[in-house]
Amino acid sequence: MNKKHSGYCALCLEYKDKLTFEHIPPRSSGNNSRAKIYNGQELIGSNKLPWDFSEMHYENAQQGAGKYSLCKKCNNKTGRWYGAAYSQFAQQIKETFETSFSHLIQTGEINIKNIYPLQVIKQIFSMFCSANPPTDDHINYKPVVYPFSTQIPTSPIQKLILAQYNLVNAEYWIDDLRKVVLDKERTGLNYGRFKICMYFTLSPLLKINGISESLNLNHHDPVSVSEIVTYPVGFLLILNPNNAISYPGIDITHWADYAYNDCTSISLPLCMYPVNSWIPIDFRSREEIQKCIEANKSFLG
């Protein structure tokens, strides 16, 4: 018997007795084979390395990676409006990696031809909406007002309060992304509220992280981030970005300013990161992670 997946659609927010499966990324981009879905929380407190999923419980996703998160109408709309453009974009990067990677290393950039930037980034928005679905009480939700006059924290207490403020308001803010996705022709974005960064990776690890708070190791400031990684690209959705911080990856937020039918070729720096951990924005090598674990063991005695 098929399991019933009911709940609120991650885009239109209507309650449905049957939600459809949203492939993250789209099935046509290559996400069409069986995937093992693990819950990274099982690794917390364990002695396992963050890439060691042996003997862990997993969900066997026969149709690929994704979530039951969209109603049929919204799934069909976004697939028709944005799916093909995103798949062409992702497949072109894959093919370039597989045929010309040594040339990319020499030049330090990748040329992506004839893409539709607005369609691509709206598909990315849609994926982040599915990665951060509405809660059951979202209808009654009211945003919390930040208690300080500036959103640039200076003290540890202010940084902690800002982190909690971002987490509490995340669902309310993501409503703006939902509205952008469901308006096919709409351009622009609240750039004070959102930043989208992209990077390249050779890691086969597929990662879908909802909004969480991570510590920026360069500035020691909290970063509210959701991350989606699927070879050969990774995306970061950063909420309430601080312009004083240099976030990892390539800022592609401005792609939202293109018109729906704008088609162009884009050159991007070859910003490569290793992905060996389920932890958000953790770009350490396996050697660096192992050294950190050993250092922590020594510190704790």
Side-chain angles (χ1 to χ4, degrees), residues 55-83:
E55 300 180 359
M56 282 184 59
H57 172 75
Y58 64 87
E59 179 184 345
N60 198 357
Q62 296 285 350
Q63 52 194 327
K67 301 179 74 173
Y68 285 90
S69 57
L70 300 183
C71 69
K72 184 177 180 180
K73 183 178 180 180
C74 287
N75 206 337
N76 289 340
K77 272 184 182 180
T78 55
R80 187 171 66 251
W81 291 346
Y82 315 126

Side-chain angles (χ1 to χ4, degrees), residues 51-204:
W51 55 83
D52 180 9
F53 296 98
S54 61
E55 300 180 359
M56 282 184 59
H57 172 75
Y58 64 87
E59 179 184 345
N60 198 357
Q62 296 285 350
Q63 52 194 327
K67 301 179 74 173
Y68 285 90
S69 57
L70 300 183
C71 69
K72 184 177 180 180
K73 183 178 180 180
C74 287
N75 206 337
N76 289 340
K77 272 184 182 180
T78 55
R80 187 171 66 251
W81 291 346
Y82 315 126
Y86 178 88
S87 296
Q88 187 270 341
F89 160 78
Q91 289 289 1
Q92 189 176 158
I93 296 172
K94 284 183 184 178
E95 291 171 6
T96 305
F97 268 43
E98 292 166 3
T99 61
S100 310
F101 190 71
S102 59
H103 177 70
L104 295 179
I105 296 298
Q106 290 177 352
T107 62
E109 65 178 18
I110 181 169
N111 298 311
I112 309 172
K113 299 179 180 179
N114 302 320
I115 69 165
Y116 295 83
L118 182 67
Q119 296 180 38
V120 171
I121 201 167
K122 284 198 176 186
Q123 178 60 52
I124 297 168
F125 292 163
S126 180
M127 294 191 296
F128 276 118
C129 288
S130 285
N132 296 277
T135 58
D136 290 344
D137 60 350
H138 72 276
I139 295 175
N140 300 317
Y141 178 78
K142 295 182 180 179
V144 174
V145 177
Y146 187 62
F148 300 109
S149 59
T150 175
Q151 290 191 10
I152 300 177
T154 55
S155 70
I157 292 297
Q158 285 182 332
K159 291 179 180 181
L160 179 61
I161 292 175
L162 177 61
Q164 292 300 313
Y165 164 78
N166 288 343
L167 282 177
V168 169
N169 284 319
E171 183 171 346
Y172 175 76
W173 292 338
I174 289 175
D175 278 352
D176 287 345
L177 284 188
R178 297 183 177 108
K179 293 172 184 175
V180 170
V181 171
L182 291 176
D183 188 341
K184 174 184 170 184
E185 302 288 343
R186 178 174 168 177
T187 62
L189 194 66
N190 183 343
Y191 297 115
R193 186 66 69 210
F194 305 105
K195 185 185 290 288
I196 297 285
C197 293
M198 168 186 167
Y199 60 88
F200 302 102
T201 184
L202 295 177
S203 171

Side-chain angles (χ1 to χ4, degrees), residues 7 42 46 57 108 187 199 215 221 230 239 277:
E42 290 187 32
S46 75
H57 172 75
T187 62
Y199 60 88
L215 182 66
D221 288 322
T230 171
L239 295 183
S277 165

Side-chain angles (χ1 to χ4, degrees), residues 12-27:
C12 69
L13 300 180
E14 293 183 8
Y15 185 86
K16 300 294 180 180
D17 289 330
K18 185 178 181 180
L19 293 174
T20 62
F21 188 82
E22 167 70 345
H23 284 81
I24 305 174
R27 179 170 49 188

